[in-house]
Amino acid sequence: VHAARQIARGQYNEPVVVAGDQEFRELAQSFIAMQTGIREREQRIVEQATRDSLTGLANRFALRELLEARRSGDEAFSVALIDVHRFRDLNASVGHHVGDQLLRALAQRLRLLAGTPEFCARVGVDQFMVCMPLHDTEVLHRVLIMADELRRGLNVERTNLNVEIRVGIAEWRAPHAPVDYLLRQADVALVEAKARNTQAVVYEPGHDAEHRRRITRVAELRRAIAGNGLSLAYQPL
């Protein structure tokens, strides 16, 4: 009864020791086997819920938990949102198998950049995030070195693939700010890097206004196209 209650509470490590005849000993062994089975299944469920199956990196859910745990810290801390430039075109040209191998090789390179696997995550099909206890300018320096290395080529399946990346970097200047605030800043910086066609951009407060202006302009353009609201003002010859 005690062993059953322990299992019901989610405690599977306490051994079941029963003194008595053969039937009780067999029952104890069954409880031990059940404990082991439940523990292993729960470990697999947690692994599937927090890990990316392709690269072995943390996923977005695990990354958020990591960042939440660091909200109370006072040391410098920055994140880099890394996008593989034109990955879909690359995937289509070399095949999905080589594309998967490329993502695994890139994940390994990002582990070296972060210094610890826990600070690395795959947050999208072709996007990764690296967290580092550094100022944004220090992260920028490291990212640019890695970007140059990737441009010179990454050996995948005996093929040298030139990989371009775009990176948005944001520093957690207010440790108690919400995690979503930090992630949004990195995303805005990445959009800015893509717009400038440059390797990496560090978030600045002015980027928010520019980002909103672009979104508004695109929305207005769509409405103008749908409502036949465009007129030709100048025709170059």
Short mmCIF file of all heavy atoms in Angstrom, two decimals, residues 81-83 127 166-169 183-203 207-208 210-212 214-215 218:
data_model
loop_
_atom_site.label_atom_id
_atom_site.label_comp_id
_atom_site.label_asym_id
_atom_site.label_seq_id
_atom_site.Cartn_x
_atom_site.Cartn_y
_atom_site.Cartn_z
N LEU A 81 19.08 35.60 -32.10
CA LEU A 81 18.15 34.84 -32.92
C LEU A 81 18.77 34.68 -34.30
O LEU A 81 19.00 35.67 -35.00
CB LEU A 81 16.81 35.56 -33.00
CG LEU A 81 15.71 34.90 -33.83
CD1 LEU A 81 15.39 33.50 -33.30
CD2 LEU A 81 14.45 35.77 -33.86
N ILE A 82 19.04 33.44 -34.69
CA ILE A 82 19.83 33.15 -35.89
C ILE A 82 18.93 32.50 -36.93
O ILE A 82 18.28 31.49 -36.67
CB ILE A 82 21.00 32.22 -35.56
CG1 ILE A 82 21.91 32.90 -34.52
CG2 ILE A 82 21.79 31.85 -36.81
CD1 ILE A 82 22.92 31.98 -33.89
N ASP A 83 18.90 33.10 -38.12
CA ASP A 83 18.09 32.60 -39.22
C ASP A 83 19.03 32.14 -40.35
O ASP A 83 19.92 32.88 -40.76
CB ASP A 83 17.16 33.70 -39.73
CG ASP A 83 16.26 33.24 -40.85
OD1 ASP A 83 16.68 33.32 -42.03
OD2 ASP A 83 15.14 32.80 -40.56
N GLN A 127 15.50 28.38 -37.80
CA GLN A 127 15.91 29.41 -36.84
C GLN A 127 16.40 28.77 -35.54
O GLN A 127 15.84 27.78 -35.08
CB GLN A 127 14.75 30.36 -36.53
CG GLN A 127 14.45 31.33 -37.66
CD GLN A 127 13.48 32.41 -37.23
OE1 GLN A 127 12.85 32.34 -36.17
NE2 GLN A 127 13.36 33.45 -38.05
N ARG A 166 21.44 35.35 -40.92
CA ARG A 166 21.02 36.67 -40.48
C ARG A 166 20.71 36.56 -38.99
O ARG A 166 20.05 35.61 -38.56
CB ARG A 166 19.79 37.14 -41.24
CG ARG A 166 20.01 37.27 -42.75
CD ARG A 166 20.97 38.41 -43.07
NE ARG A 166 21.20 38.55 -44.51
CZ ARG A 166 22.20 38.01 -45.16
NH1 ARG A 166 23.09 37.27 -44.50
NH2 ARG A 166 22.35 38.18 -46.45
N VAL A 167 21.17 37.53 -38.21
CA VAL A 167 21.10 37.41 -36.76
C VAL A 167 20.55 38.70 -36.14
O VAL A 167 20.96 39.80 -36.51
CB VAL A 167 22.50 37.12 -36.15
CG1 VAL A 167 22.37 36.85 -34.66
CG2 VAL A 167 23.16 35.95 -36.86
N GLY A 168 19.61 38.52 -35.22
CA GLY A 168 19.11 39.63 -34.42
C GLY A 168 19.54 39.44 -32.98
O GLY A 168 19.30 38.37 -32.40
N ILE A 169 20.18 40.44 -32.39
CA ILE A 169 20.75 40.33 -31.04
C ILE A 169 20.06 41.33 -30.11
O ILE A 169 19.84 42.48 -30.47
CB ILE A 169 22.26 40.61 -31.07
CG1 ILE A 169 22.96 39.60 -31.99
CG2 ILE A 169 22.86 40.54 -29.66
CD1 ILE A 169 24.41 39.94 -32.29
N LEU A 183 12.47 38.42 -26.27
CA LEU A 183 12.37 37.66 -27.52
C LEU A 183 11.86 38.53 -28.66
O LEU A 183 12.30 38.39 -29.80
CB LEU A 183 11.45 36.45 -27.32
CG LEU A 183 11.92 35.42 -26.28
CD1 LEU A 183 10.92 34.27 -26.19
CD2 LEU A 183 13.31 34.89 -26.61
N ARG A 184 10.94 39.43 -28.35
CA ARG A 184 10.43 40.32 -29.39
C ARG A 184 11.51 41.26 -29.88
O ARG A 184 11.62 41.55 -31.08
CB ARG A 184 9.23 41.12 -28.86
CG ARG A 184 8.55 41.99 -29.92
CD ARG A 184 7.43 42.80 -29.32
NE ARG A 184 7.93 43.76 -28.35
CZ ARG A 184 8.49 44.93 -28.66
NH1 ARG A 184 8.62 45.27 -29.92
NH2 ARG A 184 8.91 45.74 -27.72
N GLN A 185 12.36 41.75 -28.98
CA GLN A 185 13.46 42.62 -29.39
C GLN A 185 14.41 41.89 -30.34
O GLN A 185 14.85 42.45 -31.35
CB GLN A 185 14.21 43.11 -28.16
CG GLN A 185 13.46 44.13 -27.34
CD GLN A 185 14.27 44.62 -26.15
OE1 GLN A 185 15.23 43.97 -25.72
NE2 GLN A 185 13.88 45.75 -25.59
N ALA A 186 14.73 40.64 -30.02
CA ALA A 186 15.61 39.86 -30.90
C ALA A 186 14.96 39.65 -32.25
O ALA A 186 15.63 39.71 -33.30
CB ALA A 186 15.94 38.52 -30.24
N ASP A 187 13.65 39.42 -32.26
CA ASP A 187 12.94 39.23 -33.52
C ASP A 187 12.93 40.50 -34.35
O ASP A 187 13.12 40.46 -35.58
CB ASP A 187 11.51 38.77 -33.22
CG ASP A 187 10.81 38.26 -34.46
OD1 ASP A 187 11.38 37.38 -35.14
OD2 ASP A 187 9.70 38.73 -34.76
N VAL A 188 12.72 41.64 -33.71
CA VAL A 188 12.74 42.92 -34.42
C VAL A 188 14.12 43.19 -35.00
O VAL A 188 14.26 43.66 -36.14
CB VAL A 188 12.31 44.07 -33.47
CG1 VAL A 188 12.59 45.43 -34.10
CG2 VAL A 188 10.83 43.94 -33.14
N ALA A 189 15.18 42.89 -34.24
CA ALA A 189 16.55 43.07 -34.73
C ALA A 189 16.82 42.15 -35.92
O ALA A 189 17.52 42.55 -36.87
CB ALA A 189 17.54 42.80 -33.61
N LEU A 190 16.28 40.93 -35.90
CA LEU A 190 16.46 40.02 -37.03
C LEU A 190 15.77 40.56 -38.28
O LEU A 190 16.33 40.49 -39.39
CB LEU A 190 15.91 38.64 -36.67
CG LEU A 190 15.93 37.60 -37.80
CD1 LEU A 190 17.35 37.34 -38.29
CD2 LEU A 190 15.28 36.30 -37.34
N VAL A 191 14.56 41.08 -38.12
CA VAL A 191 13.86 41.70 -39.25
C VAL A 191 14.68 42.84 -39.83
O VAL A 191 14.78 43.00 -41.06
CB VAL A 191 12.46 42.19 -38.82
CG1 VAL A 191 11.80 43.02 -39.92
CG2 VAL A 191 11.57 41.01 -38.46
N GLU A 192 15.31 43.62 -38.96
CA GLU A 192 16.15 44.74 -39.41
C GLU A 192 17.37 44.22 -40.17
O GLU A 192 17.77 44.80 -41.18
CB GLU A 192 16.57 45.57 -38.20
CG GLU A 192 17.24 46.88 -38.55
CD GLU A 192 16.29 47.89 -39.17
OE1 GLU A 192 15.06 47.75 -39.00
OE2 GLU A 192 16.78 48.80 -39.86
N ALA A 193 17.97 43.14 -39.68
CA ALA A 193 19.13 42.56 -40.37
C ALA A 193 18.76 42.07 -41.77
O ALA A 193 19.52 42.26 -42.73
CB ALA A 193 19.70 41.40 -39.54
N LYS A 194 17.58 41.47 -41.88
CA LYS A 194 17.12 41.01 -43.20
C LYS A 194 16.84 42.19 -44.12
O LYS A 194 17.16 42.15 -45.31
CB LYS A 194 15.87 40.15 -43.05
CG LYS A 194 16.11 38.80 -42.41
CD LYS A 194 14.82 38.00 -42.31
CE LYS A 194 15.06 36.63 -41.73
NZ LYS A 194 13.80 35.83 -41.63
N ALA A 195 16.24 43.25 -43.57
CA ALA A 195 15.92 44.43 -44.39
C ALA A 195 17.19 45.11 -44.89
O ALA A 195 17.25 45.59 -46.03
CB ALA A 195 15.08 45.40 -43.58
N ARG A 196 18.22 45.14 -44.06
CA ARG A 196 19.49 45.76 -44.46
C ARG A 196 20.37 44.81 -45.27
O ARG A 196 21.40 45.23 -45.81
CB ARG A 196 20.27 46.20 -43.22
CG ARG A 196 19.62 47.26 -42.37
CD ARG A 196 20.57 47.63 -41.23
NE ARG A 196 19.94 48.43 -40.21
CZ ARG A 196 20.55 48.82 -39.10
NH1 ARG A 196 21.81 48.45 -38.88
NH2 ARG A 196 19.91 49.55 -38.20
N ASN A 197 19.99 43.53 -45.32
CA ASN A 197 20.79 42.49 -45.96
C ASN A 197 22.21 42.45 -45.37
O ASN A 197 23.21 42.38 -46.08
CB ASN A 197 20.88 42.72 -47.48
CG ASN A 197 21.36 41.48 -48.21
OD1 ASN A 197 21.17 40.35 -47.75
ND2 ASN A 197 22.01 41.68 -49.34
N THR A 198 22.25 42.49 -44.05
CA THR A 198 23.52 42.42 -43.33
C THR A 198 23.50 41.21 -42.41
O THR A 198 22.43 40.66 -42.09
CB THR A 198 23.76 43.70 -42.53
OG1 THR A 198 25.09 43.69 -42.00
CG2 THR A 198 22.77 43.83 -41.38
N GLN A 199 24.68 40.79 -41.95
CA GLN A 199 24.77 39.56 -41.18
C GLN A 199 24.09 39.65 -39.82
O GLN A 199 23.40 38.71 -39.41
CB GLN A 199 26.25 39.16 -41.01
CG GLN A 199 26.89 38.70 -42.30
CD GLN A 199 28.37 38.38 -42.12
OE1 GLN A 199 29.02 38.93 -41.23
NE2 GLN A 199 28.89 37.50 -42.95
N ALA A 200 24.28 40.74 -39.09
CA ALA A 200 23.75 40.83 -37.74
C ALA A 200 23.43 42.26 -37.38
O ALA A 200 24.11 43.20 -37.83
CB ALA A 200 24.75 40.24 -36.73
N VAL A 201 22.39 42.42 -36.56
CA VAL A 201 21.99 43.74 -36.07
C VAL A 201 21.70 43.62 -34.58
O VAL A 201 21.06 42.67 -34.13
CB VAL A 201 20.73 44.25 -36.81
CG1 VAL A 201 20.12 45.45 -36.09
CG2 VAL A 201 21.06 44.61 -38.24
N VAL A 202 22.19 44.58 -33.82
CA VAL A 202 21.90 44.67 -32.39
C VAL A 202 20.68 45.55 -32.20
O VAL A 202 20.57 46.63 -32.79
CB VAL A 202 23.11 45.25 -31.63
CG1 VAL A 202 22.75 45.49 -30.16
CG2 VAL A 202 24.30 44.31 -31.72
N TYR A 203 19.75 45.08 -31.38
CA TYR A 203 18.50 45.81 -31.18
C TYR A 203 18.75 47.19 -30.59
O TYR A 203 19.55 47.37 -29.67
CB TYR A 203 17.57 45.03 -30.25
CG TYR A 203 16.35 45.81 -29.83
CD1 TYR A 203 15.24 45.89 -30.66
CD2 TYR A 203 16.32 46.50 -28.61
CE1 TYR A 203 14.13 46.62 -30.29
CE2 TYR A 203 15.21 47.23 -28.23
CZ TYR A 203 14.12 47.28 -29.08
OH TYR A 203 13.03 48.02 -28.71
N HIS A 207 14.34 50.72 -33.52
CA HIS A 207 13.94 49.66 -34.44
C HIS A 207 12.46 49.34 -34.32
O HIS A 207 11.83 48.91 -35.29
CB HIS A 207 14.76 48.39 -34.19
CG HIS A 207 16.20 48.54 -34.56
ND1 HIS A 207 17.19 47.72 -34.07
CD2 HIS A 207 16.83 49.42 -35.39
CE1 HIS A 207 18.36 48.09 -34.57
NE2 HIS A 207 18.16 49.11 -35.36
N ASP A 208 11.89 49.54 -33.12
CA ASP A 208 10.46 49.26 -32.94
C ASP A 208 9.61 50.15 -33.84
O ASP A 208 8.69 49.68 -34.51
CB ASP A 208 10.06 49.47 -31.48
CG ASP A 208 10.50 48.31 -30.60
OD1 ASP A 208 10.23 47.16 -30.97
OD2 ASP A 208 11.12 48.56 -29.56
N GLU A 210 10.52 51.69 -36.58
CA GLU A 210 10.75 51.33 -37.98
C GLU A 210 10.00 50.05 -38.33
O GLU A 210 9.43 49.93 -39.42
CB GLU A 210 12.25 51.16 -38.23
CG GLU A 210 12.62 50.71 -39.63
CD GLU A 210 12.25 51.71 -40.70
OE1 GLU A 210 12.03 52.90 -40.36
OE2 GLU A 210 12.15 51.32 -41.87
N HIS A 211 10.00 49.10 -37.41
CA HIS A 211 9.29 47.84 -37.64
C HIS A 211 7.78 48.09 -37.79
O HIS A 211 7.14 47.55 -38.71
CB HIS A 211 9.55 46.90 -36.46
CG HIS A 211 8.96 45.54 -36.62
ND1 HIS A 211 9.25 44.72 -37.69
CD2 HIS A 211 8.08 44.86 -35.85
CE1 HIS A 211 8.58 43.58 -37.57
NE2 HIS A 211 7.86 43.65 -36.47
N ARG A 212 7.21 48.92 -36.91
CA ARG A 212 5.79 49.23 -37.01
C ARG A 212 5.48 49.97 -38.31
O ARG A 212 4.44 49.76 -38.93
CB ARG A 212 5.35 50.05 -35.80
CG ARG A 212 5.24 49.25 -34.50
CD ARG A 212 4.49 50.04 -33.44
NE ARG A 212 5.23 51.24 -33.07
CZ ARG A 212 6.13 51.28 -32.08
NH1 ARG A 212 6.41 50.19 -31.39
NH2 ARG A 212 6.75 52.41 -31.79
N ARG A 214 7.04 49.71 -41.18
CA ARG A 214 7.05 48.76 -42.30
C ARG A 214 5.75 47.95 -42.34
O ARG A 214 5.18 47.71 -43.40
CB ARG A 214 8.25 47.82 -42.19
CG ARG A 214 9.58 48.48 -42.53
CD ARG A 214 10.61 47.42 -42.87
NE ARG A 214 11.92 48.03 -43.07
CZ ARG A 214 12.91 47.94 -42.20
NH1 ARG A 214 12.75 47.26 -41.09
NH2 ARG A 214 14.07 48.51 -42.44
N ILE A 215 5.32 47.47 -41.16
CA ILE A 215 4.09 46.67 -41.11
C ILE A 215 2.90 47.50 -41.59
O ILE A 215 2.06 47.03 -42.37
CB ILE A 215 3.86 46.17 -39.67
CG1 ILE A 215 4.93 45.14 -39.29
CG2 ILE A 215 2.47 45.54 -39.53
CD1 ILE A 215 4.86 44.68 -37.86
N VAL A 218 3.04 48.00 -45.44
CA VAL A 218 2.63 46.80 -46.17
C VAL A 218 1.12 46.64 -46.12
O VAL A 218 0.47 46.32 -47.12
CB VAL A 218 3.34 45.55 -45.59
CG1 VAL A 218 2.73 44.28 -46.17
CG2 VAL A 218 4.82 45.60 -45.89
#
